[in-house]
Amino acid sequence: MTAAAVLLRLLDPSTSLERAWNEMNSRAVTEGRAAVSTVEALMFGLRERGAAALAEEPVRQRLVQLDEEQVVKVGDRLQALQPDVARAWAPAEVQQLLEAWGGLRGG
């Protein structure tokens, strides 16, 4: 089933929010990607505590689960943070994120 077909099926009014959430997260894991909830928990930690959070074990456990596309998107999101939410990350901080991810992934 194509991604578009899956999305249309999940948007069907007869599909519960809980079922859609569970299916999106289980599909991510089976496709070698971190679950959406993992990405959002990682974003919360990085947004709240900045690059210093990269030394925290829970943050590192979440970070290692991301695939390359996901870690790039996290970096993009961190750089695009609005001042009323949190301080946007500088390119050097995103580089630290990528280096931490690469080190955890053995790259």
XYZ file of all heavy atoms in Angstrom:
816
model
N 0.847 -1.167 0.000
C 0.000 0.000 0.000
C 0.899 1.238 0.000
O 1.844 1.323 0.770
C -0.908 -0.047 1.238
C -1.869 1.090 1.327
S -3.019 0.975 2.739
C -4.144 -0.260 2.169
N 0.595 2.183 -0.838
C 1.408 3.396 -0.923
C 1.176 4.280 0.309
O 0.160 4.144 0.999
C 1.062 4.214 -2.175
O -0.265 4.726 -2.026
C 1.184 3.383 -3.435
N 2.111 5.188 0.550
C 1.986 6.094 1.685
C 0.721 6.943 1.564
O 0.040 7.208 2.557
C 3.217 6.968 1.791
N 0.405 7.363 0.341
C -0.794 8.181 0.132
C -2.055 7.386 0.466
O -2.982 7.917 1.089
C -0.850 8.678 -1.306
N -2.076 6.122 0.083
C -3.241 5.281 0.370
C -3.392 5.066 1.881
O -4.508 5.085 2.409
C -3.121 3.941 -0.350
N -2.276 4.872 2.559
C -2.315 4.703 4.014
C -2.841 5.969 4.662
O -3.708 5.922 5.548
C -0.920 4.338 4.571
C -0.903 4.399 6.090
C -0.489 2.976 4.077
N -2.359 7.116 4.222
C -2.795 8.386 4.786
C -4.289 8.590 4.575
O -5.007 8.984 5.502
C -2.009 9.541 4.171
C -2.334 10.928 4.695
C -2.101 11.016 6.190
C -1.503 11.968 3.976
N -4.770 8.313 3.385
C -6.199 8.463 3.115
C -7.025 7.537 4.001
O -8.073 7.931 4.517
C -6.495 8.192 1.637
C -6.048 9.286 0.672
C -6.244 8.829 -0.773
C -6.819 10.571 0.940
N -6.534 6.320 4.199
C -7.249 5.379 5.059
C -7.274 5.881 6.502
O -8.292 5.802 7.184
C -6.609 3.989 4.988
C -7.369 2.922 5.745
C -6.799 1.538 5.524
N -5.368 1.436 5.721
C -4.776 1.404 6.925
N -5.486 1.494 8.018
N -3.466 1.293 7.018
N -6.160 6.439 6.966
C -6.097 6.931 8.344
C -6.936 8.193 8.543
O -7.373 8.479 9.656
C -4.642 7.202 8.743
C -3.750 5.964 8.847
C -2.317 6.376 9.164
C -4.270 4.984 9.883
N -7.160 8.949 7.465
C -7.984 10.151 7.554
C -9.479 9.859 7.480
O -10.289 10.758 7.710
C -7.593 11.130 6.443
C -6.226 11.784 6.615
C -5.871 12.591 5.371
C -6.203 12.653 7.848
N -9.822 8.622 7.198
C -11.227 8.244 7.129
C -11.892 8.514 8.481
O -11.338 8.176 9.522
C -11.343 6.759 6.770
C -12.775 6.348 6.539
O -13.518 6.249 7.542
O -13.148 6.127 5.383
N -13.069 9.127 8.476
C -13.744 9.452 9.746
C -14.012 8.236 10.637
O -14.136 8.376 11.850
C -15.059 10.098 9.309
C -14.810 10.574 7.928
C -13.798 9.642 7.333
N -14.067 7.043 10.061
C -14.329 5.852 10.876
C -13.074 5.354 11.605
O -13.157 4.475 12.456
C -14.893 4.728 9.997
O -13.911 4.305 9.060
N -11.912 5.922 11.285
C -10.662 5.539 11.953
C -10.480 6.415 13.188
O -10.468 7.637 13.092
C -9.458 5.719 11.012
O -9.664 4.932 9.844
C -8.169 5.272 11.676
N -10.346 5.757 14.337
C -10.186 6.518 15.583
C -8.813 7.174 15.624
O -7.860 6.710 14.988
C -10.357 5.600 16.796
O -9.237 4.737 16.914
N -8.729 8.243 16.372
C -7.466 8.944 16.554
C -6.440 8.008 17.179
O -5.275 7.982 16.767
C -7.669 10.191 17.419
C -6.430 11.015 17.706
C -5.806 11.518 16.410
C -6.769 12.174 18.621
N -6.858 7.229 18.154
C -5.947 6.293 18.814
C -5.388 5.271 17.823
O -4.190 5.000 17.806
C -6.667 5.574 19.948
C -5.792 4.589 20.687
C -6.525 3.881 21.815
O -7.764 3.972 21.890
O -5.844 3.236 22.609
N -6.244 4.723 16.970
C -5.783 3.747 15.986
C -4.807 4.385 14.989
O -3.776 3.810 14.648
C -6.953 3.135 15.226
C -6.474 2.152 14.182
C -7.577 1.443 13.490
N -6.995 0.611 12.450
C -7.675 -0.083 11.614
N -8.983 -0.103 11.675
N -7.067 -0.790 10.694
N -5.128 5.582 14.518
C -4.244 6.271 13.567
C -2.884 6.537 14.212
O -1.842 6.299 13.597
C -4.893 7.565 13.090
N -2.879 7.038 15.448
C -1.637 7.325 16.160
C -0.801 6.054 16.314
O 0.392 6.041 16.023
C -1.953 7.930 17.524
C -0.752 8.213 18.355
C -0.252 7.452 19.370
C 0.127 9.326 18.239
N 0.865 8.030 19.894
C 1.123 9.182 19.221
C 0.163 10.436 17.407
C 2.143 10.106 19.383
C 1.183 11.351 17.583
C 2.152 11.183 18.560
N -1.437 4.983 16.773
C -0.719 3.722 16.968
C -0.168 3.175 15.658
O 0.961 2.690 15.604
C -1.613 2.681 17.650
C -1.856 3.000 19.103
O -1.032 3.617 19.758
N -2.992 2.593 19.609
N -0.937 3.264 14.611
C -0.470 2.742 13.327
C 0.675 3.577 12.769
O 1.647 3.043 12.250
C -1.613 2.674 12.315
C -1.174 1.982 11.041
C -2.317 1.598 10.140
O -3.427 1.351 10.626
O -2.071 1.528 8.921
N 0.594 4.893 12.887
C 1.692 5.734 12.393
C 2.979 5.430 13.152
O 4.052 5.349 12.557
C 1.339 7.220 12.537
C 0.333 7.686 11.516
S 0.062 9.468 11.509
C -0.279 9.839 13.199
N 2.870 5.259 14.455
C 4.064 4.987 15.243
C 4.599 3.586 15.004
O 5.801 3.392 14.913
C 3.800 5.232 16.730
C 3.819 6.694 17.053
O 4.745 7.400 16.695
N 2.788 7.172 17.709
N 3.733 2.590 14.878
C 4.219 1.231 14.643
C 4.814 1.116 13.240
O 5.796 0.420 13.039
C 3.108 0.203 14.844
O 2.099 0.338 13.871
N 4.259 1.824 12.264
C 4.827 1.809 10.909
C 6.219 2.427 10.914
O 7.123 1.957 10.245
C 3.926 2.568 9.931
C 2.687 1.802 9.530
C 1.841 2.614 8.561
N 2.542 2.932 7.340
C 2.590 2.157 6.252
N 1.996 0.990 6.273
N 3.233 2.546 5.179
N 6.395 3.488 11.675
C 7.707 4.140 11.737
C 8.753 3.169 12.256
O 9.846 3.058 11.697
C 7.641 5.383 12.623
N 8.421 2.457 13.309
C 9.373 1.529 13.919
C 9.710 0.392 12.961
O 10.878 0.035 12.813
C 8.818 0.996 15.263
C 9.684 -0.118 15.809
C 8.718 2.144 16.262
N 8.713 -0.146 12.276
C 8.986 -1.255 11.363
C 9.735 -0.809 10.120
O 10.323 -1.619 9.436
C 7.687 -1.983 10.952
O 6.825 -1.060 10.293
C 6.998 -2.596 12.138
N 9.725 0.486 9.830
C 10.450 1.008 8.670
C 11.818 1.549 9.058
O 12.479 2.220 8.275
C 9.614 2.093 7.985
C 8.346 1.543 7.355
C 7.419 2.623 6.818
O 7.753 3.818 6.903
O 6.352 2.258 6.320
N 12.258 1.289 10.298
C 13.577 1.727 10.736
C 13.648 3.183 11.137
O 14.719 3.761 11.197
N 12.501 3.768 11.407
C 12.444 5.177 11.799
C 11.975 5.251 13.246
O 11.293 4.363 13.731
C 11.455 5.934 10.918
C 11.836 5.928 9.453
C 10.747 6.502 8.566
N 10.340 7.836 8.932
C 10.942 8.943 8.524
N 11.988 8.875 7.733
N 10.510 10.127 8.887
N 12.326 6.330 13.901
C 11.841 6.556 15.259
C 10.359 6.900 15.210
O 9.878 7.524 14.260
C 12.618 7.685 15.915
N 9.654 6.513 16.240
C 8.242 6.849 16.352
C 8.082 8.366 16.491
O 8.981 9.052 16.991
C 7.634 6.148 17.557
N 6.952 8.866 16.059
C 6.666 10.296 16.155
C 6.804 10.762 17.602
O 7.360 11.833 17.875
C 5.253 10.602 15.603
C 4.861 12.047 15.857
C 5.165 10.256 14.131
N 6.318 9.967 18.536
C 6.397 10.346 19.944
C 7.844 10.463 20.415
O 8.174 11.325 21.238
C 5.636 9.336 20.810
O 6.119 8.025 20.589
N 8.724 9.629 19.883
C 10.147 9.702 20.229
C 10.757 10.994 19.708
O 11.503 11.678 20.415
C 10.905 8.483 19.657
O 10.334 7.292 20.215
C 12.385 8.540 19.959
N 10.434 11.346 18.474
C 10.949 12.579 17.877
C 10.467 13.789 18.680
O 11.247 14.696 18.985
C 10.539 12.711 16.394
C 10.959 14.059 15.828
C 11.121 11.564 15.573
N 9.201 13.790 19.062
C 8.659 14.927 19.805
C 9.255 15.021 21.207
O 9.522 16.116 21.700
C 7.132 14.871 19.846
C 6.492 15.072 18.481
C 7.002 16.308 17.750
O 7.091 17.389 18.363
O 7.329 16.201 16.551
N 9.495 13.884 21.860
C 10.143 13.906 23.174
C 11.574 14.425 23.050
O 12.045 15.196 23.899
C 10.134 12.507 23.794
N 12.266 14.030 21.992
C 13.618 14.532 21.735
C 13.589 16.044 21.518
O 14.389 16.786 22.098
C 14.225 13.829 20.524
C 15.586 14.348 20.067
C 16.656 14.076 21.125
C 15.969 13.721 18.737
N 12.668 16.499 20.684
C 12.542 17.936 20.426
C 12.289 18.704 21.717
O 12.879 19.766 21.929
C 11.391 18.214 19.442
C 11.712 18.001 17.991
S 12.959 19.143 17.344
C 12.220 20.744 17.664
N 11.457 18.189 22.574
C 11.154 18.869 23.837
C 12.432 19.045 24.654
O 12.721 20.140 25.134
C 10.105 18.084 24.628
C 9.771 18.721 25.945
C 8.925 19.818 26.004
C 10.321 18.246 27.122
C 8.626 20.420 27.215
C 10.031 18.838 28.333
C 9.179 19.926 28.383
N 13.197 17.976 24.814
C 14.421 18.056 25.594
C 15.427 19.023 25.002
O 16.037 19.822 25.723
N 15.594 18.979 23.690
C 16.561 19.855 23.030
C 16.103 21.310 23.050
O 16.909 22.218 23.227
C 16.806 19.386 21.598
C 17.452 18.000 21.468
C 17.485 17.572 20.011
C 18.841 17.982 22.079
N 14.817 21.514 22.893
C 14.272 22.874 22.904
C 14.401 23.486 24.305
O 14.759 24.647 24.449
C 12.802 22.823 22.476
C 12.152 24.165 22.307
C 10.722 24.037 21.801
N 9.890 23.275 22.710
C 9.214 22.168 22.371
N 9.251 21.715 21.143
N 8.492 21.533 23.251
N 14.144 22.697 25.338
C 14.159 23.209 26.701
C 15.570 23.406 27.257
O 15.814 24.355 27.992
C 13.380 22.260 27.626
C 11.902 22.203 27.329
C 11.203 23.531 27.538
O 11.401 24.139 28.604
O 10.474 23.969 26.624
N 16.485 22.480 26.922
C 17.806 22.498 27.556
C 18.951 22.763 26.597
O 20.107 22.780 26.997
C 18.019 21.186 28.324
C 17.035 21.056 29.490
C 17.226 19.817 30.306
N 17.056 18.569 29.575
C 15.879 18.079 29.173
N 14.768 18.745 29.400
N 15.804 16.927 28.537
N 18.655 22.970 25.328
C 19.678 23.309 24.356
C 20.643 22.161 24.086
O 20.376 20.997 24.406
N 21.785 22.503 23.512
C 22.775 21.504 23.121
C 23.318 20.736 24.325
O 23.786 19.601 24.186
C 23.910 22.161 22.352
N 23.239 21.315 25.525
C 23.686 20.612 26.738
C 22.906 19.319 26.948
O 23.430 18.354 27.529
C 23.548 21.519 27.952
N 21.684 19.262 26.437
C 20.860 18.063 26.584
C 21.438 16.873 25.836
O 21.107 15.722 26.150
C 19.438 18.343 26.098
N 22.329 17.124 24.885
C 22.926 16.022 24.115
C 23.780 15.108 24.985
O 24.086 13.989 24.585
C 23.759 16.574 22.954
C 22.965 17.286 21.866
C 23.902 17.998 20.905
C 22.061 16.298 21.131
N 24.144 15.556 26.172
C 24.929 14.729 27.094
C 24.044 13.858 27.980
O 24.549 12.973 28.670
C 25.810 15.619 27.969
N 22.747 14.088 27.959
C 21.810 13.357 28.814
C 21.459 12.007 28.191
O 21.127 11.928 27.010
C 20.541 14.169 29.027
C 20.790 15.509 29.691
C 19.568 16.405 29.687
O 18.467 15.941 29.311
O 19.719 17.580 30.055
N 21.496 10.965 29.006
C 21.246 9.614 28.493
C 19.863 9.448 27.852
O 19.762 8.864 26.772
C 21.467 8.571 29.595
C 21.469 7.145 29.071
C 22.507 6.870 27.987
O 23.570 7.512 27.976
O 22.240 6.002 27.127
N 18.778 9.946 28.449
C 17.472 9.791 27.780
C 17.430 10.460 26.401
O 16.827 9.924 25.468
C 16.487 10.453 28.746
C 17.158 10.403 30.074
C 18.631 10.550 29.780
N 18.072 11.610 26.288
C 18.118 12.314 24.998
C 18.931 11.491 23.998
O 18.534 11.325 22.840
C 18.702 13.734 25.173
C 19.000 14.381 23.825
C 17.749 14.595 25.987
N 20.038 10.939 24.449
C 20.886 10.123 23.570
C 20.161 8.856 23.126
O 20.282 8.426 21.976
C 22.202 9.806 24.260
C 23.036 11.077 24.512
C 24.262 10.835 25.353
N 25.273 10.058 24.658
C 26.111 10.554 23.752
N 26.053 11.823 23.431
N 27.001 9.778 23.184
N 19.377 8.259 24.028
C 18.608 7.063 23.674
C 17.568 7.367 22.605
O 17.314 6.539 21.727
C 17.934 6.483 24.914
C 18.897 5.827 25.879
C 18.233 5.404 27.171
O 17.071 5.721 27.439
N 18.967 4.670 27.991
N 16.986 8.538 22.670
C 16.013 8.932 21.638
C 16.720 9.276 20.331
O 16.274 8.889 19.254
C 15.183 10.118 22.125
C 14.277 9.772 23.280
C 13.481 10.969 23.772
N 12.693 10.591 24.924
C 12.907 11.051 26.154
N 13.864 11.936 26.385
N 12.150 10.648 27.146
N 17.814 10.016 20.438
C 18.544 10.469 19.259
C 19.015 9.304 18.396
O 18.909 9.343 17.170
C 19.730 11.340 19.681
C 20.593 11.934 18.580
C 19.765 12.810 17.643
C 21.735 12.734 19.188
N 19.520 8.255 19.009
C 20.058 7.125 18.251
C 18.979 6.403 17.439
O 19.281 5.743 16.453
C 20.817 6.148 19.180
C 19.851 5.343 20.044
C 21.722 5.232 18.377
N 17.727 6.567 17.808
C 16.631 5.895 17.097
C 16.267 6.573 15.779
O 15.624 5.970 14.924
C 15.386 5.835 17.989
C 15.567 4.964 19.212
C 14.331 4.960 20.063
O 13.221 4.752 19.576
N 14.506 5.196 21.365
N 16.673 7.823 15.604
C 16.314 8.565 14.397
C 17.100 8.076 13.190
O 18.258 7.676 13.318
C 16.585 10.057 14.581
C 15.504 10.897 15.245
C 15.198 10.432 16.642
C 15.894 12.353 15.233
N 16.466 8.115 12.031
C 17.210 7.867 10.801
C 17.757 9.207 10.306
O 17.524 10.258 10.926
C 16.359 7.146 9.742
C 15.206 7.972 9.178
O 15.146 9.205 9.422
O 14.367 7.392 8.480
N 18.500 9.179 9.222
C 19.164 10.397 8.744
C 18.169 11.505 8.406
O 18.377 12.672 8.755
C 20.039 10.082 7.529
C 20.854 11.262 7.063
C 21.817 10.921 5.943
O 21.842 9.768 5.490
O 22.546 11.835 5.530
N 17.104 11.155 7.737
C 16.104 12.164 7.367
C 15.498 12.814 8.617
O 15.315 14.031 8.667
C 14.996 11.528 6.516
C 13.911 12.494 6.110
C 12.781 11.836 5.330
O 12.902 10.651 4.959
O 11.774 12.527 5.119
N 15.214 12.002 9.620
C 14.617 12.535 10.835
C 15.562 13.473 11.576
O 15.137 14.520 12.060
C 14.182 11.394 11.765
C 12.964 10.646 11.259
C 12.621 9.467 12.139
O 13.476 8.631 12.416
N 11.380 9.404 12.581
N 16.836 13.111 11.678
C 17.767 13.968 12.418
C 17.982 15.290 11.677
O 18.094 16.347 12.306
C 19.099 13.246 12.740
C 20.005 13.132 11.539
C 19.831 13.961 13.874
N 17.973 15.268 10.367
C 18.088 16.513 9.592
C 16.853 17.392 9.838
O 16.978 18.608 10.041
C 18.279 16.214 8.091
C 18.102 17.467 7.246
C 19.644 15.590 7.854
N 15.676 16.782 9.858
C 14.450 17.547 10.108
C 14.444 18.138 11.513
O 13.990 19.262 11.720
C 13.213 16.685 9.878
C 12.929 16.442 8.412
C 11.664 15.652 8.215
C 11.404 15.445 6.736
N 10.179 14.670 6.496
N 14.957 17.383 12.497
C 15.049 17.905 13.860
C 15.962 19.130 13.872
O 15.639 20.161 14.467
C 15.529 16.821 14.849
C 15.978 17.428 16.175
C 14.430 15.794 15.085
N 17.102 19.031 13.207
C 18.010 20.174 13.116
C 17.351 21.380 12.469
O 17.503 22.514 12.950
N 16.606 21.138 11.404
C 15.893 22.229 10.727
C 14.873 22.877 11.666
O 14.748 24.105 11.717
C 15.179 21.722 9.473
C 16.132 21.337 8.358
O 17.326 21.713 8.412
O 15.677 20.632 7.421
N 14.143 22.041 12.399
C 13.134 22.565 13.319
C 13.785 23.385 14.431
O 13.254 24.425 14.831
C 12.316 21.413 13.917
C 11.365 20.764 12.933
C 10.653 19.574 13.531
N 9.822 19.941 14.684
C 9.197 19.055 15.457
N 9.324 17.750 15.221
N 8.463 19.460 16.469
N 14.911 22.912 14.942
C 15.599 23.635 16.014
C 16.090 25.001 15.533
O 16.048 25.972 16.278
C 16.759 22.798 16.556
C 16.349 21.559 17.350
C 17.552 20.650 17.573
C 15.694 21.934 18.666
N 16.536 25.081 14.293
C 16.997 26.358 13.753
C 15.844 27.313 13.462
O 16.047 28.523 13.396
C 17.811 26.142 12.485
C 19.188 25.570 12.759
C 20.035 25.540 11.515
O 19.732 24.825 10.566
N 21.103 26.313 11.519
N 14.654 26.775 13.294
C 13.496 27.599 12.952
C 12.641 27.974 14.159
O 11.570 28.574 13.990
C 12.639 26.854 11.923
N 13.092 27.646 15.369
C 12.306 27.968 16.557
C 12.055 29.471 16.651
O 12.929 30.282 16.349
C 13.030 27.496 17.820
C 13.056 25.990 18.043
C 13.986 25.637 19.197
C 11.656 25.450 18.301
N 10.872 29.808 17.063
C 10.488 31.204 17.228
C 10.850 31.672 18.638
O 10.750 30.898 19.593
C 8.978 31.365 16.999
C 8.547 30.972 15.592
C 9.229 31.816 14.533
O 9.214 33.034 14.602
N 9.835 31.165 13.554
N 11.234 32.938 18.809
C 11.676 33.438 20.110
C 10.658 33.268 21.235
O 11.031 33.104 22.384
C 11.946 34.927 19.853
C 12.119 35.048 18.388
C 11.321 33.948 17.768
N 9.364 33.273 20.896
C 8.361 33.102 21.943
C 8.228 31.646 22.384
O 7.576 31.359 23.381
C 7.007 33.662 21.489
C 6.479 32.992 20.231
O 7.287 32.689 19.334
O 5.254 32.786 20.144
N 8.869 30.730 21.659
C 8.853 29.309 22.017
C 10.158 28.935 22.707
O 10.170 28.420 23.823
C 8.639 28.432 20.757
C 8.756 26.954 21.092
C 7.311 28.759 20.101
N 11.255 29.169 22.038
C 12.597 28.886 22.567
C 13.608 29.535 21.637
O 13.288 29.910 20.507
C 12.844 27.383 22.642
N 14.827 29.635 22.111
C 15.896 30.211 21.297
C 16.220 29.274 20.134
O 16.384 28.067 20.324
C 17.148 30.403 22.166
C 18.311 31.043 21.441
C 19.555 31.099 22.314
N 20.033 29.791 22.726
C 20.734 28.955 21.957
N 21.032 29.277 20.719
N 21.137 27.796 22.427
N 16.292 29.828 18.939
C 16.660 29.028 17.765
C 18.116 28.588 17.886
O 18.958 29.313 18.419
C 16.461 29.843 16.490
N 18.402 27.401 17.403
C 19.758 26.866 17.456
C 20.615 27.484 16.358
O 20.164 27.682 15.227
C 19.731 25.358 17.281
C 19.377 24.614 18.534
C 18.498 24.989 19.498
C 19.910 23.357 18.944
N 18.437 24.039 20.471
C 19.299 23.025 20.162
C 20.826 22.482 18.390
C 19.583 21.851 20.840
C 21.105 21.312 19.061
C 20.496 20.993 20.279
N 21.856 27.728 16.687
C 22.849 28.207 15.718
C 23.349 27.021 14.893
O 23.249 25.867 15.335
C 24.013 28.861 16.456
N 23.898 27.274 13.711
C 24.436 26.182 12.896
C 25.456 25.309 13.644
O 25.470 24.085 13.471
C 25.080 26.911 11.712
C 24.274 28.163 11.580
C 23.938 28.554 12.996
N 26.277 25.914 14.497
C 27.271 25.132 15.244
C 26.604 24.154 16.213
O 27.095 23.039 16.431
C 28.204 26.063 16.014
N 25.458 24.549 16.761
C 24.732 23.654 17.669
C 24.104 22.494 16.899
O 24.087 21.351 17.375
C 23.666 24.432 18.437
C 24.244 25.428 19.424
C 23.191 26.338 20.008
O 22.449 26.977 19.226
O 23.125 26.416 21.251
N 23.582 22.790 15.718
C 23.027 21.717 14.883
C 24.145 20.766 14.473
O 23.948 19.552 14.425
C 22.277 22.297 13.659
C 21.842 21.188 12.715
C 21.082 23.119 14.122
N 25.323 21.300 14.218
C 26.472 20.447 13.903
C 26.777 19.511 15.071
O 27.076 18.332 14.872
C 27.702 21.295 13.560
C 28.897 20.491 13.096
C 28.625 19.697 11.818
O 27.936 20.166 10.924
N 29.162 18.493 11.754
N 26.668 20.021 16.307
C 26.864 19.169 17.490
C 25.828 18.046 17.514
O 26.153 16.906 17.854
C 26.734 19.983 18.780
C 27.887 20.899 19.068
C 27.645 21.688 20.350
O 26.533 22.134 20.622
N 28.700 21.845 21.127
N 24.584 18.379 17.176
C 23.513 17.382 17.118
C 23.871 16.287 16.116
O 23.785 15.095 16.424
C 22.193 18.052 16.719
C 21.034 17.129 16.370
C 20.486 16.461 17.619
C 19.935 17.902 15.650
N 24.283 16.688 14.916
C 24.612 15.721 13.869
C 25.819 14.863 14.252
O 25.838 13.664 13.988
C 24.846 16.445 12.544
C 23.640 17.203 11.981
C 24.043 17.991 10.749
C 22.480 16.271 11.699
N 26.798 15.486 14.882
C 27.974 14.725 15.320
C 27.616 13.737 16.426
O 28.103 12.603 16.430
C 29.076 15.677 15.779
C 29.719 16.430 14.625
C 30.683 17.516 15.072
O 30.901 17.683 16.299
O 31.225 18.217 14.185
N 26.756 14.150 17.348
C 26.321 13.244 18.416
C 25.562 12.065 17.814
O 25.795 10.907 18.178
C 25.450 13.990 19.423
N 24.659 12.349 16.876
C 23.895 11.289 16.212
C 24.826 10.332 15.474
O 24.700 9.112 15.612
C 22.877 11.913 15.256
C 22.109 10.912 14.456
C 21.043 10.172 14.883
C 22.365 10.525 13.097
N 20.606 9.359 13.858
C 21.406 9.558 12.755
C 23.296 10.911 12.156
C 21.367 8.972 11.502
C 23.252 10.336 10.892
C 22.294 9.376 10.576
N 25.783 10.895 14.723
C 26.717 10.052 13.986
C 27.555 9.188 14.916
O 27.797 8.015 14.647
N 27.994 9.761 16.045
C 28.767 8.992 17.013
C 27.966 7.860 17.623
O 28.476 6.753 17.815
N 26.707 8.126 17.906
C 25.841 7.093 18.480
C 25.525 5.992 17.477
O 25.347 4.834 17.854
C 24.543 7.718 18.983
C 24.671 8.646 20.190
C 23.380 9.424 20.406
C 25.044 7.856 21.435
N 25.460 6.359 16.215
C 25.143 5.392 15.160
C 26.377 4.700 14.625
O 26.293 3.884 13.703
C 24.405 6.109 14.015
C 23.120 6.807 14.379
C 21.975 5.873 14.492
N 21.696 5.292 13.199
C 20.486 5.035 12.741
N 19.458 5.313 13.452
N 20.345 4.482 11.557
N 27.548 5.054 15.165
C 28.776 4.429 14.720
C 29.311 4.989 13.428
O 30.069 4.335 12.705
N 28.901 6.224 13.101
C 29.302 6.816 11.827
C 30.379 7.817 11.897
O 31.129 8.144 12.696
